[in-house]
Amino acid sequence: MDEGMSGFCIKASAAGGNGTGTKCGRWNPTTEQVKVLTELFRSGLRTPSTDQIQKISTQLSFYGKIESKNVFYWFQNHKARERQKRRKVSISVHDDHHNHNHNHDLHHHQHKDFIRRMDKISSPKHFLEVNHHHHHQQVYDHLQPERVMETLQLFPLNSFGEYSEPEKLMIRSMNANHDHHPPLDLRLSFL
Amino acid sequence: MDEGMSGFCIKASAAGGNGTGTKCGRWNPTTEQVKVLTELFRSGLRTPSTDQIQKISTQLSFYGKIESKNVFYWFQNHKARERQKRRKVSISVHDDHHNHNHNHDLHHHQHKDFIRRMDKISSPKHFLEVNHHHHHQQVYDHLQPERVMETLQLFPLNSFGEYSEPEKLMIRSMNANHDHHPPLDLRLSFL
DNA sequence: GCAGTATGAATGAAGG
DNA sequence: CCTTCATTCATACTGC
């Protein structure tokens, strides 16, 4: 998992107002690019479509290396951060001491799609309820370092990456037969 | 930004590969969990059934805190993003003058987020291929610094017709009236 | 050089 | 499934 980290971009451009250098790794927008993007944003563009992204990217490529994804991410981030700042501030300003229901109020209204699927395919009863262990401390159990290999030796960590064909088939068959009340057992021990 | 600490999550995890810490708010898969999930995915499992999800979840819980929904979402996201990622988004809009590199994609996974939109929303034909087709010739053509286009037609579309006329004008003036800028032009007419 | 910060990139989680 | 939001991770940049 240790990234290869190929990050060694020689980027000379800075906020000062230039746009030279720029080689690899992560995109480093030139001031011109940022300017255009900002203008577009201020113009009301929040979530550009594919076409728009492409065009913007193409145009901006004149000022320097850029890819579509950069434009996409830029807008995503910019929008998100604008909102984030907004949120933080507003919370601080008129906090009514009772306004805590939209930030980290996690769970309780659960995910629709997930529930729907769960509910349909095979009533998991308290599939979600299982999650209701918030009053337990066992949550902290997992903070244990990775030295708890005893009971479940399902995943030989040193065998990842490659597996035999028969195993693939097994998996496949399992996957193919899971419609109603699948008698299938997904034992991950095949790994 | 400092405030990042909105939550109370002690996220000690990082790209370094770990499995400790992390226990609040959003699920933070350990490397082992990711590994297993990835393997399952690679094995052909795309949309696990409820039972499968449950089993996977149960098994993965050995490595750390996890809930069924996490597994569910993981597969959904991974599948979607993987599919679109496959779309090859390395649009080298900017021709490599002499820079033939092939080391920028090796580190982590690429983006997967924006790809989705790219592939589907609009041009189902080819999004990236286009970049290879056009050699930015025409791009430069109407990017001539000297050529000042009166156009500032932002977005002919209407997806976001939020901007007001004044703003268009502002942009326009900005574009057409750049006293101290050489070849810089902010024409957004390409959209 | 390291700390702090701004921001690009990735992905978990939801909504529709 | 597709689109979007939110949070987080990683890195470029700036200042000390």
Side-chain angles (χ1 to χ4, degrees), chain B residues 3 20 34 59 68 89 91 116 120 137 175:
Chain B
E3 71 309 83
T20 61
V34 171
Q59 297 303 314
S68 305
V89 195
I91 36 161
R116 152 165 300 74
K120 196 177 171 250
Q137 286 294 339
N175 169 29

Side-chain angles (χ1 to χ4, degrees), chain B residues 68-83:
Chain B
S68 305
K69 68 171 184 177
N70 302 134
V71 176
F72 172 79
Y73 282 136
W74 190 91
F75 274 97
Q76 201 168 253
N77 281 321
H78 197 70
K79 177 183 170 188
R81 283 164 176 153
E82 195 65 25
R83 182 205 274 179

Side-chain angles (χ1 to χ4, degrees), chain B:
Chain B
M1 297 339 164
D2 51 302
E3 71 309 83
M5 306 320 172
S6 56
F8 329 102
C9 299
I10 310 163
K11 64 108 194 174
S13 84
N18 57 69
T20 61
T22 321
K23 53 166 190 56
C24 63
R26 141 173 165 178
W27 170 56
N28 194 30
T30 65
T31 49
E32 288 76 27
Q33 289 173 333
V34 171
K35 201 179 270 188
V36 173
L37 289 169
T38 301
E39 262 315 308
L40 287 169
F41 186 85
R42 289 189 42 134
S43 295
L45 186 58
R46 295 165 51 187
T47 308
S49 67
T50 307
D51 294 311
Q52 292 175 316
I53 288 177
Q54 227 182 48
K55 286 177 173 141
I56 295 171
S57 175
T58 299
Q59 297 303 314
L60 291 181
S61 68
F62 174 70
Y63 298 115
K65 183 178 185 298
I66 189 173
E67 295 172 37
S68 305
K69 68 171 184 177
N70 302 134
V71 176
F72 172 79
Y73 282 136
W74 190 91
F75 274 97
Q76 201 168 253
N77 281 321
H78 197 70
K79 177 183 170 188
R81 283 164 176 153
E82 195 65 25
R83 182 205 274 179
Q84 241 72 23
K85 171 164 69 170
R86 210 63 204 139
R87 206 63 186 157
K88 191 71 190 74
V89 195
S90 315
I91 36 161
S92 312
V93 176
H94 105 124
D95 274 16
D96 300 307
H97 309 292
H98 59 285
N99 181 14
H100 52 74
N101 48 9
H102 53 280
N103 60 342
H104 53 69
D105 271 325
L106 293 181
H107 37 238
H108 354 286
H109 11 261
Q110 301 164 204
H111 49 280
K112 309 171 176 181
D113 218 358
F114 90 104
I115 316 172
R116 152 165 300 74
R117 160 189 316 287
M118 294 311 194
D119 184 62
K120 196 177 171 250
I121 290 188
S122 55
S123 46
K125 38 192 178 184
H126 15 297
F127 164 67
L128 311 160
E129 278 85 78
V130 178
N131 294 279
H132 287 282
H133 285 169
H134 78 45
H135 285 289
H136 70 4
Q137 286 294 339
Q138 47 190 26
V139 177
Y140 286 115
D141 196 277
H142 66 74
L143 261 179
Q144 291 292 326
E146 298 184 338
R147 183 166 173 202
V148 181
M149 300 174 77
E150 70 298 331
T151 35
L152 220 280
Q153 196 81 301
L154 278 219
F155 306 95
L157 313 179
N158 43 24
S159 313
F160 43 82
E162 295 289 328
Y163 51 88
S164 55
E165 290 302 320
E167 289 187 299
K168 284 184 179 177
L169 293 176
M170 182 179 74
I171 299 168
R172 181 180 181 182
S173 62
M174 188 176 165
N175 169 29
N177 234 353
H178 255 32
D179 310 56
H180 59 292
H181 259 296
L184 211 178
D185 63 335
L186 260 183
R187 86 170 112 289
L188 312 171
S189 55
F190 52 82
L191 286 175

